[in-house]
Amino acid sequence: MNKSETRRRSSGRITLSDVAKAAGVSPITASRALRGERGVAQELVQRVKDAAQQLGYVPDPAARTLASQRSVQVPVLVPLLSNALFVDVLESVHRTLFPEGYQALIGVTHYDPQEEEQLLRTYLAHRPAGLLVTGFDRTEAARQLIAASGVPCVHLMEMTPAPGVFCVGFSQQDAGHSMTAHLLARGYQNVAFVAAQLDPRTMQRAEGYRRCLREAGRYDPKLELLSPQPSSMRLGGELLEELLRTRPGVDAVFFCNDDLAQGGLLAAQRLGLSVPGQVAIAGFNDLAGSDQMLPPLTTVRTPRSAVGEASARMLLALMRGEEPAHNSVDLGFELTVREST
Amino acid sequence: MNKSETRRRSSGRITLSDVAKAAGVSPITASRALRGERGVAQELVQRVKDAAQQLGYVPDPAARTLASQRSVQVPVLVPLLSNALFVDVLESVHRTLFPEGYQALIGVTHYDPQEEEQLLRTYLAHRPAGLLVTGFDRTEAARQLIAASGVPCVHLMEMTPAPGVFCVGFSQQDAGHSMTAHLLARGYQNVAFVAAQLDPRTMQRAEGYRRCLREAGRYDPKLELLSPQPSSMRLGGELLEELLRTRPGVDAVFFCNDDLAQGGLLAAQRLGLSVPGQVAIAGFNDLAGSDQMLPPLTTVRTPRSAVGEASARMLLALMRGEEPAHNSVDLGFELTVREST
DNA sequence: CTGAAAGCGCTTACAG
DNA sequence: CTGAAAGCGCTTACAG
């Protein structure tokens, strides 16, 4: 046993060289054949693929990443995992990316731009293949980190007029406007807006609510009840009670999210109020259970899974170096009128 | 410019060599200092760390993985992301692992052992640092893949008597028994068990239910309603209706999961049945909203976040080559009696 | 306690 | 269309 053999740190793994040897070609040719790079004789491609198959060859992602300076990682930065909305997005991103050989990575920002910036630093150091971030509200440093990295990035859940920026979502403001218009059309006189968390998308819905009421000449800031606390069913109930106590005359409530609305609906029931007779209740997002409430909840159905899939497809194109058909994709929303309004 | 310079594929990245040069040591020493390996002079460690800090050095994970044959990836294989249970586990695993430099990877099996086996093949090829899997129900091939890989693995959500196997969870069967015992103690005469999905953990709860009723001499297979459909609030309502139609005399229903129970509760209300007066309803897992129902739902609180954290800590120990204090950690459960029973 | 050499398994850039 | 050489950025194994 000579010195070089003693020194070998063999992992026993089947490598590209093994495949190349078996196919009777050079490792480079094997590499090209396996990656489907054009410019390799059809016959060789087949021979290499057969050899790889027979040997059970699996490429080493670390070696590939190191040599090519391109990984298969795609960090997905969302505010929370406890909000089903973002789980749906993450799930469909993962489902779209995984079969293409990319790996979606969890990133939770807790609605905190500083935390997001820190995550971005960490993830960008890993040379990700692409990046998915929620909305446009971030630190200037974060924006520059993304731009400087040159990593393709798609923004989720919001629309923006900025050119050269990629996004997939829908207009949160229009959705807020649409629900408010529905409530006015139903004849409600004092339509309140109740929100929690107060993240940018929630505030865009608030803006849609305001715009609609202003157009109708009915805007009154006292009809808004905004809480920075995290959204939950319990909080929805508490806010409804506070609203009815402090704003007598309210006959319809637009909650910025379905968990609040569901809690509000149950609280109304607990208080012996008929819905929508004494107070109409509407939500947002059409989360699980909203259609099962008593009465079933009027809400806005938002395209979470579609956003996940479309953004992943857009990113796939960008990662291949292609120009996507559109910079921004508006997937819309659907006013879903049920019995609570 | 000589040939070797022409050929250089520089990425402009700050490398370990840059740090070593700045600190006036060899790259190996710099590597050791940065990784906190003992056996480096205290003074050199400081000099290297300062240099790294000043240059903004970030280690390249791909190079590290390739050289050490150990990655920082930890695939977490769970049945579904649409079940809040597993999102909670995944979230706390991620929260525990990330600060330690490890990356939790999403793996969704859709309750399908074949799909899990396929995922395992893919992930294991990436040389993960560790592995987290749900329960013990998998193909023999999957079991062997895990064993042969030598990758540390912790099993989630169930307990097992097998030695040499690591797990963190609680006894699903005891939990099922406990809830059933509570219902019997309350004096209900015909306690039904209603379940969906019928995954292994659900069936362990069913077994606990059966054991308890047999002990009381009250077991009757007709009191079980099992549906292989995916769990949902809507299904819970449907199953309750079917149960009451086909099994007259049932005065208490133990649903295997809170989403079914919540749906059952709302269906009872829709049917004009008083809960618990005419029919008692109990759930499992204490999911979001169960405490807000009318009446609030009796359920079993399960330690999802604790399971995520404890399993991640156990895995952390295993990945460091340490022997964990215990092979199996039983985190227990908590019978949570509210007004629905 | 420190370092020169080799190697991890792939791909890039060049040449033919 | 194919390949020999070099290199990606780190760590291992050995030597001193």
Side-chain angles (χ1 to χ4, degrees), chain A residues 80-83 87, chain B residues 78 80-93 304:
Chain A
L80 277 184
L81 249 32
S82 46
N83 187 335
V87 175
Chain B
V78 295
L80 275 185
L81 248 33
S82 47
N83 187 335
L85 192 73
F86 297 113
V87 175
D88 290 347
V89 172
L90 183 61
E91 220 265 326
S92 65
V93 165
R304 289 99 70 177

Short mmCIF file of all heavy atoms in Angstrom, two decimals, chain A residues 80-83 87, chain B residues 78 80-93 304:
data_model
loop_
_atom_site.label_atom_id
_atom_site.label_comp_id
_atom_site.label_asym_id
_atom_site.label_seq_id
_atom_site.Cartn_x
_atom_site.Cartn_y
_atom_site.Cartn_z
N LEU A 80 -44.47 34.38 10.08
CA LEU A 80 -44.85 33.43 11.12
C LEU A 80 -45.22 32.10 10.52
O LEU A 80 -45.73 32.03 9.42
CB LEU A 80 -46.12 33.91 11.84
CG LEU A 80 -46.04 34.93 12.96
CD1 LEU A 80 -47.43 35.12 13.53
CD2 LEU A 80 -45.10 34.42 14.04
N LEU A 81 -45.04 31.05 11.29
CA LEU A 81 -45.55 29.75 10.86
C LEU A 81 -46.86 29.44 11.57
O LEU A 81 -47.57 28.52 11.19
CB LEU A 81 -44.51 28.67 11.17
CG LEU A 81 -43.82 28.01 9.98
CD1 LEU A 81 -43.63 28.92 8.81
CD2 LEU A 81 -42.53 27.35 10.40
N SER A 82 -47.19 30.23 12.59
CA SER A 82 -48.43 29.95 13.32
C SER A 82 -49.63 30.54 12.57
O SER A 82 -50.77 30.35 12.98
CB SER A 82 -48.37 30.50 14.74
OG SER A 82 -47.86 31.81 14.75
N ASN A 83 -49.38 31.23 11.49
CA ASN A 83 -50.46 31.72 10.64
C ASN A 83 -50.60 30.77 9.44
O ASN A 83 -49.68 30.65 8.63
CB ASN A 83 -50.15 33.13 10.17
CG ASN A 83 -51.31 33.76 9.43
OD1 ASN A 83 -52.16 33.06 8.87
ND2 ASN A 83 -51.35 35.07 9.44
N VAL A 87 -48.12 29.06 6.06
CA VAL A 87 -47.85 27.64 5.94
C VAL A 87 -48.31 27.16 4.56
O VAL A 87 -47.62 26.39 3.90
CB VAL A 87 -48.55 26.83 7.05
CG1 VAL A 87 -48.37 25.35 6.83
CG2 VAL A 87 -48.01 27.24 8.41
N VAL B 78 -42.48 14.98 8.31
CA VAL B 78 -43.79 14.99 8.96
C VAL B 78 -44.86 14.64 7.93
O VAL B 78 -44.64 14.80 6.73
CB VAL B 78 -44.11 16.36 9.58
CG1 VAL B 78 -43.15 16.68 10.72
CG2 VAL B 78 -44.08 17.46 8.53
N LEU B 80 -47.87 16.01 7.27
CA LEU B 80 -48.60 17.09 6.62
C LEU B 80 -48.18 18.42 7.20
O LEU B 80 -47.83 18.51 8.36
CB LEU B 80 -50.10 16.96 6.92
CG LEU B 80 -50.98 16.07 6.08
CD1 LEU B 80 -52.41 16.24 6.55
CD2 LEU B 80 -50.85 16.44 4.62
N LEU B 81 -48.31 19.45 6.42
CA LEU B 81 -48.11 20.78 6.97
C LEU B 81 -49.46 21.43 7.23
O LEU B 81 -49.54 22.46 7.91
CB LEU B 81 -47.29 21.62 6.00
CG LEU B 81 -45.88 22.01 6.44
CD1 LEU B 81 -45.22 20.98 7.28
CD2 LEU B 81 -45.04 22.38 5.25
N SER B 82 -50.53 20.85 6.71
CA SER B 82 -51.85 21.46 6.91
C SER B 82 -52.40 21.09 8.29
O SER B 82 -53.46 21.56 8.69
CB SER B 82 -52.82 21.03 5.81
OG SER B 82 -52.74 19.65 5.60
N ASN B 83 -51.69 20.28 9.03
CA ASN B 83 -52.08 19.99 10.40
C ASN B 83 -51.19 20.83 11.33
O ASN B 83 -49.97 20.66 11.37
CB ASN B 83 -51.88 18.51 10.68
CG ASN B 83 -52.42 18.11 12.03
OD1 ASN B 83 -52.52 18.93 12.94
ND2 ASN B 83 -52.76 16.84 12.18
N ALA B 84 -51.85 21.71 12.08
CA ALA B 84 -51.12 22.66 12.92
C ALA B 84 -50.16 21.96 13.89
O ALA B 84 -49.12 22.49 14.26
CB ALA B 84 -52.10 23.53 13.71
N LEU B 85 -50.53 20.76 14.24
CA LEU B 85 -49.70 19.93 15.11
C LEU B 85 -48.26 19.87 14.61
O LEU B 85 -47.30 20.11 15.34
CB LEU B 85 -50.29 18.53 15.05
CG LEU B 85 -49.83 17.50 16.04
CD1 LEU B 85 -50.44 17.86 17.38
CD2 LEU B 85 -50.33 16.12 15.62
N PHE B 86 -48.10 19.54 13.36
CA PHE B 86 -46.77 19.32 12.81
C PHE B 86 -46.06 20.63 12.50
O PHE B 86 -44.83 20.70 12.53
CB PHE B 86 -46.85 18.41 11.58
CG PHE B 86 -47.36 17.04 11.93
CD1 PHE B 86 -48.59 16.60 11.47
CD2 PHE B 86 -46.62 16.21 12.75
CE1 PHE B 86 -49.07 15.35 11.82
CE2 PHE B 86 -47.09 14.96 13.10
CZ PHE B 86 -48.32 14.52 12.65
N VAL B 87 -46.84 21.64 12.23
CA VAL B 87 -46.24 22.97 12.04
C VAL B 87 -45.60 23.42 13.35
O VAL B 87 -44.50 23.95 13.37
CB VAL B 87 -47.28 23.99 11.56
CG1 VAL B 87 -46.67 25.38 11.49
CG2 VAL B 87 -47.84 23.58 10.21
N ASP B 88 -46.30 23.16 14.45
CA ASP B 88 -45.76 23.52 15.77
C ASP B 88 -44.45 22.78 16.03
O ASP B 88 -43.49 23.35 16.54
CB ASP B 88 -46.77 23.19 16.87
CG ASP B 88 -47.98 24.12 16.83
OD1 ASP B 88 -47.92 25.14 16.13
OD2 ASP B 88 -48.97 23.82 17.51
N VAL B 89 -44.45 21.50 15.71
CA VAL B 89 -43.23 20.71 15.91
C VAL B 89 -42.10 21.26 15.04
O VAL B 89 -40.99 21.52 15.52
CB VAL B 89 -43.48 19.22 15.56
CG1 VAL B 89 -42.18 18.44 15.59
CG2 VAL B 89 -44.49 18.60 16.52
N LEU B 90 -42.39 21.44 13.77
CA LEU B 90 -41.38 21.93 12.83
C LEU B 90 -40.83 23.28 13.26
O LEU B 90 -39.62 23.52 13.24
CB LEU B 90 -42.01 22.05 11.44
CG LEU B 90 -41.09 22.49 10.30
CD1 LEU B 90 -39.95 21.49 10.13
CD2 LEU B 90 -41.87 22.64 9.00
N GLU B 91 -41.72 24.15 13.70
CA GLU B 91 -41.32 25.48 14.10
C GLU B 91 -40.36 25.43 15.30
O GLU B 91 -39.34 26.12 15.31
CB GLU B 91 -42.57 26.29 14.48
CG GLU B 91 -42.56 27.73 14.03
CD GLU B 91 -42.08 28.67 15.10
OE1 GLU B 91 -42.35 28.39 16.27
OE2 GLU B 91 -41.43 29.67 14.75
N SER B 92 -40.67 24.60 16.27
CA SER B 92 -39.81 24.60 17.45
C SER B 92 -38.51 23.85 17.17
O SER B 92 -37.47 24.18 17.73
CB SER B 92 -40.54 24.05 18.68
OG SER B 92 -40.88 22.72 18.51
N VAL B 93 -38.55 22.89 16.28
CA VAL B 93 -37.31 22.23 15.85
C VAL B 93 -36.41 23.27 15.19
O VAL B 93 -35.23 23.42 15.52
CB VAL B 93 -37.58 21.09 14.85
CG1 VAL B 93 -36.31 20.67 14.14
CG2 VAL B 93 -38.20 19.89 15.55
N ARG B 304 -46.68 19.65 21.69
CA ARG B 304 -46.03 19.73 20.38
C ARG B 304 -44.74 20.52 20.38
O ARG B 304 -43.70 20.04 19.88
CB ARG B 304 -46.96 20.39 19.36
CG ARG B 304 -48.11 19.54 18.96
CD ARG B 304 -49.34 19.92 19.71
NE ARG B 304 -49.85 21.21 19.28
CZ ARG B 304 -50.96 21.74 19.75
NH1 ARG B 304 -51.66 21.08 20.67
NH2 ARG B 304 -51.37 22.91 19.32
#
